Amino acid sequence: GKCRDGRDDCQDCRDTPLEEIYSVHFTLCQKPWHCPQLFSATEKTKTICNEFHGEWFRIREDLDRLRALERNVGGSEVSAYVKPNGKHKPEIFRGFCNSGQARGYIPLQ
């Protein structure tokens, strides 16, 4: 079909490689901290949303690791990073979701 701006051909932004994307608005994909399940999304949309969510949770994990290091100043092992063990799509959510939807999210400590 035609593009919204009237052109005959337009880029499908879902085909843009992740490394070329600098900013994401999560309206279509849903907020990562809602541990979305994306039941009604097309396969193409699910694929890019899973990439976006995976990157968001990679950054979330980096933050948790950094916070553990900051608490660990002085050599205390008490504050060592402990990877969460959420079971909802761990390959995407990195253990930060116990189940789908917001109630499954494991928040910052």
Side-chain angles (χ1 to χ4, degrees), residues 14-30:
R14 297 173 299 175
D15 293 331
T16 304
L18 189 62
E19 58 273 1
E20 293 180 20
I21 298 171
Y22 295 93
S23 179
V24 173
H25 190 279
F26 283 105
T27 297
L28 176 64
C29 294
Q30 301 176 34

Side-chain angles (χ1 to χ4, degrees), residues 30-51:
Q30 301 176 34
K31 308 297 186 246
W33 52 92
H34 289 177
C35 303
Q37 300 184 68
L38 305 174
F39 290 127
S40 61
T42 66
E43 283 307 310
K44 196 172 202 177
T45 298
K46 284 180 187 179
T47 297
I48 193 67
C49 289
N50 286 338
E51 288 184 38

